[in-house]
Every structure is written in C-alpha cells, then in structure tokens.
Amino acid sequence: MAMVFCRGCARQLHDSAHTCPQCGAPQFAKSANTQASGGQSPWLGITSLILGIICLLSLFDDSEWDRETVLGLGMFASISLIMGIVSISQKKPGNGLAIAGVVMAGVSLICFIGLSAS
C-alpha cells in the first residue's frame, strides 16, 4: 500500500484515491487538452479547411472546365461547407479551422455556381 501526500492539505492518503478524504481536493490533474476538447479530435474542422483550400486553389486554374469538373468541385465545396457548419454548430474542437473552411468553401461555391450558369 503506497501512500502519497494530498495536493490540497498535505495529509497522507492512498495513491489510488481520486480525492482527499479530509479536504476533498482532486488528486489527479487533468490535462488541459482533454479538458478543453473532451477527448474529441478536430477532424471536421481540418477536413473542411482542406477541402476549402482545394476548391479555392482550383479557381486559379486557367484551363477550360467541362460541366462535370465544375459539378465535382461544387460538390467538394458543398461538403466542406456542410462539415464546417456542423463543426461550428456542435462546438467541436477546431472551430477556427472550420470557420476558415466555411469561408473558403462559400466563396468557391459562389464562383462555381457562376461558372455553371455561364
């Protein structure tokens, strides 16, 4: 039976105790990363950002696009927009990434709609 000292009152207690029986102080410090994100990964925000970057960079291509290319890139932009909105509305980690992805996907989608109409 190993004994350690309490983080709050410095009394001895068992090393497997989660809280001190005397003062109630928690004995195991939670990491800042797991407290902030709840153990979730920011995959929605990252995916939204990557797809948004791909769509925005494709606008700088000077070659002629057929209807399928515009439709495919429009679907990429729509998926990026939806994933970013879901990440922001559910307050998932990576909100900054999701916001950037939504902005880039929105601009790209407007451009793709304009290209498909002409």
Side-chain angles (χ1 to χ4, degrees):
M1 179 164 121
M3 300 296 281
V4 295
F5 292 99
C6 172
R7 293 177 179 250
C9 65
R11 295 191 186 202
Q12 279 193 336
L13 56 112
H14 192 267
D15 66 346
S16 65
H18 294 286
T19 59
C20 176
Q22 300 295 325
C23 69
Q27 299 304 306
F28 299 108
K30 295 181 180 176
S31 68
N33 191 14
T34 57
Q35 279 182 335
S37 66
Q40 299 175 347
S41 67
W43 70 272
L44 277 173
I46 291 171
T47 308
S48 174
L49 179 67
I50 290 172
L51 289 175
I53 289 171
I54 290 170
C55 291
L56 194 65
L57 288 177
S58 69
L59 291 174
F60 293 104
D61 184 16
D62 289 338
S63 63
E64 287 294 320
W65 289 353
D66 56 354
R67 204 153 188 76
E68 288 89 21
T69 305
V70 175
L71 180 66
L73 288 170
M75 286 182 9
F76 266 24
S78 300
I79 291 169
S80 174
L81 196 63
I82 290 169
M83 291 178 84
I85 290 171
V86 167
S87 177
I88 294 167
S89 67
Q90 292 182 353
K91 295 182 177 29
K92 300 259 184 193
N95 271 348
L97 301 172
I99 291 170
V102 165
V103 169
M104 286 189 272
V107 168
S108 299
L109 192 60
I110 290 171
C111 292
F112 295 142
I113 290 171
L115 285 172
S116 68
S118 61

